[in-house]
């Protein structure tokens, strides 16, 4: 019997959450496209500026950075309380909350360094408006020297569809920017502010915005890659696959599949019906999960692995880009089997697809602990090499680049891995 889901309200899709800021999409978009515009007219809390650098006094710059940091902390706090409100305060979740707090405290030295760099770096363009809905914003991470058009990664963060936030992509964005790759980290409406169709719509609109505007920031529109992690991998793959179906049917489009060179899915979910009970046992209660996914009848529609099995849209798979998946074998949040069965289905249907399994890696190792560790990183190095393949100059610069800095002591990283609730 299906668990009733009507008891979980969804906030109005047209209203802002308490953490969102005032946005005027028309004027913000206009400001984005005018290189000579005066940034003083920006009435948003984010640093929505034109590609040209704005000259600010040191005191003005510090004031902006402090204000931005405060708004980030306020939003993160709001997201945390939203998660607790919907998951409840039972014994299981109290233990998980304590584990999460301990996990965050152990990694705090690394997190603080990332937050500081995110807030003060002149190479980060924060909170650029891409749509007219709450949370329709993105952060851009730019290389220091844009002497030629650079490849672009559109990144969609995870967060159990409840606490996803664009700033979770800061570490990846900062590190890829050091390798001459522009990163656009997209924010999107979370539950209960929106449900899965809203999240997919937001991400699709963010992709469209990047495809149309990234050249103004030094990006190469012909080298755009889409990447998602965890719930972000699910949302972004849904956006990609549903767009392919629309394109195959001849619907009106704001971006085309051919504009995406490849898709990177990290520790993702691609078959929802197979994981409903697993998530319930892990603490994401069935009633909440089905509310997020708009009911049990919608699970198939938002499962990329099942979408492409539909004979009526089977031919749409022919226009999909290469699908490249990564998963840790010790991932208990989303088992590696989710990626294994997805890539098997893709290959059976003729879609170019690859899967790399990382032995002994957990759900957070690949995205948090390993990047904080610095040095060589198989996943990071693979993505950089794949994106720069065929560009001898870029590969030569990458080879000469300094080793990534360690951001957190090894002891703390190991202890964090031991207490991680993920």
């Amino acid at each position: 019997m299906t668990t009733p889901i009507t008891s979980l309200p969804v906030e109005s899709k047209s209203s802002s959450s308490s953490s969102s800021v005032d946005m005027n999409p028309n004027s913000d978009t206009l400001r984005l496209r005018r290189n000579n515009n005066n940034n003083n007219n920006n009435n948003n809390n984010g640093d929505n500026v034109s590609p040209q650098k704005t000259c600010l006094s040191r005191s003005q710059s510090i004031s902006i950075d402090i204000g931005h940091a405060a708004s980030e902390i306020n939003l993160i706090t709001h997201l945390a309380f939203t998660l607790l409100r919907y998951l409840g305060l039972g014994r299981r979740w109290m233990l998980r909350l304590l584990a999460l707090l301990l996990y965050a405290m152990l990694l705090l030295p690394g997190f603080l360094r990332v937050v500081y760099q995110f807030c003060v770096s002149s190479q980060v363009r924060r909170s650029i408006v891409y749509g007219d809905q709450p949370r329709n914003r993105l952060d851009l991470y730019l290389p220091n020297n844009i002497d030629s058009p650079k490849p672009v990664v559109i990144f969609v963060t995870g967060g159990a569809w409840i606490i996803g936030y664009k700033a979770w992509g800061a570490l990846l964005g900062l590190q890829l920017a050091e390798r001459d790759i522009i990163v656009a980290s997209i924010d999107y409406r979370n539950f209960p502010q929106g449900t899965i169709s809203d999240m997919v719509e937001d991400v699709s609109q963010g992709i469209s915005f990047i495809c149309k505007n990234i050249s103004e920031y030094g990006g190469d529109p012909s080298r755009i890659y889409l990447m998602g992690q965890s719930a972000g991998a699910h949302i972004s793959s849904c956006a990609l696959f549903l767009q392919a179906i629309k394109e195959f049917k001849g619907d009106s489009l704001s971006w085309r599949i051919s504009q995406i060179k490849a898709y990177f899915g990290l520790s993702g979910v691609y078959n929802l019906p197979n994981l409903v009970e697993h998530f319930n046992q892990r603490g994401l209660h069935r009633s909440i999960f089905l509310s997020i996914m708009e009911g049990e009848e919608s699970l198939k529609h938002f499962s990329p692995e099942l979408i492409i099995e539909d004979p009526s849209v089977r031919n749409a798979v022919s226009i999909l880009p290469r699908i490249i998946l990564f998963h840790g074998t010790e991932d208990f949040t989303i088992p590696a089997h989710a990626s294994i069965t997805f890539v098997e289905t893709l290959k059976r249907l003729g879609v170019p697809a690859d899967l790399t399994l990382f032995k002994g890696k957990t759900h957070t190792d690949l995205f948090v602990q390993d990047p904080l560790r610095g040095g060589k990183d198989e996943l990071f190095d693979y993505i950089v090499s794949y994106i720069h393949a065929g560009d001898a100059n870029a590969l030569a610069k990458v080879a000469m680049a300094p080793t990534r800095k360690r951001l957190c002591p090894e002891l703390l990283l190991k202890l964090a891995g031991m207490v991680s609730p993920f």
Side-chain angles (χ1 to χ4, degrees):
M1 179 179 294
T2 303
T3 304
I5 62 174
T6 56
S7 60
L8 295 172
V10 178
E11 294 181 11
S12 172
K13 298 174 184 179
S14 61
S15 63
S16 301
S17 70
S18 60
S19 60
S20 63
V21 294
D22 179 47
M23 47 177 89
N24 184 337
N26 294 326
S27 60
D28 281 333
T29 303
L30 187 60
R31 280 194 291 274
L32 168 68
R33 296 176 180 176
R34 289 181 179 173
N35 291 343
N36 297 324
N37 189 58
N38 181 355
N39 190 55
N40 291 334
N41 291 330
N42 189 348
N43 62 352
N44 294 302
N45 291 340
D47 296 5
N48 186 22
V49 298
S50 67
Q52 290 188 351
K53 295 182 179 179
T54 303
C55 296
L56 297 173
S57 68
R58 181 173 179 80
S59 60
Q60 288 176 311
S61 179
I62 293 175
S63 176
I64 290 174
D65 291 334
I66 292 175
H68 183 78
S71 66
E72 299 292 305
I73 293 172
N74 176 64
L75 181 52
I76 291 171
T77 302
H78 172 78
L79 293 173
F81 277 105
T82 298
L83 178 63
L84 288 176
R85 184 179 61 179
Y86 279 91
L87 294 179
L89 292 174
R91 180 175 178 273
R92 177 192 295 180
W93 273 104
M94 285 300 296
L95 292 175
R96 287 188 179 275
L97 175 61
L98 291 174
L100 176 60
L101 292 175
L102 183 55
Y103 174 81
M105 288 176 61
L106 289 169
L107 298 180
L108 191 60
F111 289 159
L112 289 177
R113 296 179 70 174
V114 174
V115 169
Y116 175 79
Q117 194 173 357
F118 171 79
C119 290
V120 305
S121 175
S122 62
Q123 302 310 119
V124 180
R125 303 292 187 267
R126 293 173 286 270
S127 294
I128 296 172
V129 175
Y130 69 79
D132 58 3
Q133 293 294 328
R135 304 284 295 277
N136 280 185
R137 291 171 175 266
L138 59 85
D139 295 328
L140 278 182
Y141 300 83
L142 306 175
N144 285 322
N145 182 21
I146 304 183
D147 51 0
S148 61
K150 304 298 181 184
V152 182
V153 170
I154 300 174
F155 182 65
V156 184
T157 67
W161 302 275
I162 298 174
I163 56 169
Y165 185 47
K166 57 186 175 62
W168 301 163
L171 181 55
L172 176 72
L174 291 166
Q175 292 184 341
L176 284 180
E178 292 177 350
R179 297 297 187 267
D180 262 7
I181 298 170
I182 295 175
V183 176
S185 185
I186 295 178
D187 207 2
Y188 53 89
R189 284 170 286 177
N190 284 209
F191 183 81
Q193 191 176 36
T195 53
I196 184 61
S197 59
D198 301 307
M199 302 175 201
V200 173
E201 178 186 343
D202 288 350
V203 167
S204 184
Q205 189 166 359
I207 295 171
S208 173
F209 181 90
I210 291 298
C211 290
K212 293 176 181 177
N213 296 284
I214 196 60
S215 61
E216 299 183 22
Y217 289 90
D220 186 347
S222 67
R223 290 188 293 165
I224 296 177
Y225 300 81
L226 179 61
M227 180 176 182
Q229 186 265 340
S230 191
H234 169 247
I235 297 167
S236 57
S237 60
C238 283
L240 182 69
F241 281 51
L242 292 175
Q243 187 77 0
I245 293 173
K246 291 179 182 178
E247 187 169 332
F248 175 74
K249 291 181 176 180
D251 294 349
S252 177
L253 303 171
S254 60
W255 61 280
R256 306 189 73 84
I257 295 298
S258 59
Q259 294 176 277
I260 306 299
K261 293 276 289 183
Y263 173 80
F264 301 116
L266 175 57
S267 309
V269 181
Y270 311 104
N271 188 324
L272 297 179
N274 283 353
L275 291 171
V276 174
E277 186 56 34
H278 171 78
F279 287 144
N280 185 64
Q281 293 176 358
R282 293 285 298 176
L284 183 53
H285 304 305
R286 180 185 178 88
S287 59
I288 297 175
F289 184 71
L290 292 180
S291 293
I292 295 170
M293 299 303 162
E294 302 173 2
E296 194 162 7
E297 65 281 358
S298 296
L299 295 180
K300 182 177 180 180
H301 179 69
F302 292 106
S303 295
E305 184 178 329
L306 302 180
I307 291 173
I308 58 176
E309 291 275 23
D310 186 345
S312 66
V313 299
R314 186 72 59 82
N315 291 334
V317 303
S318 62
I319 63 174
L320 289 170
R322 177 170 289 277
I323 308 295
I324 304 171
L325 306 181
F326 310 97
H327 222 116
T329 60
E330 297 300 311
D331 188 336
F332 300 114
T333 300
I334 301 173
H337 189 67
S339 289
I340 294 173
T341 58
F342 186 36
V343 81
E344 288 175 349
T345 300
L346 290 168
K347 288 183 175 181
R348 176 166 51 82
L349 296 175
V351 180
D354 303 293
L355 169 62
T356 301
L357 294 175
F358 295 88
K359 187 176 181 179
K361 297 295 184 181
T362 67
H363 193 66
T364 57
D365 278 334
L366 297 173
F367 187 64
V368 181
Q369 286 98 297
D370 286 351
L372 288 174
R373 186 171 279 115
K376 300 291 289 183
D377 181 338
E378 185 179 352
L379 171 61
F380 180 84
D381 293 342
Y382 177 93
I383 292 174
V384 172
S385 298
Y386 187 93
I387 291 175
H388 284 312
D391 188 337
N393 291 332
L395 290 174
K397 289 177 66 176
V398 169
M400 296 297 293
T403 303
R404 293 187 304 163
K405 296 179 180 178
R406 173 181 287 276
L407 301 176
C408 194
E410 185 63 25
L411 176 60
L412 296 183
L413 290 170
K414 290 183 176 180
L415 289 174
M418 294 171 61
V419 304
S420 173
F422 303 106

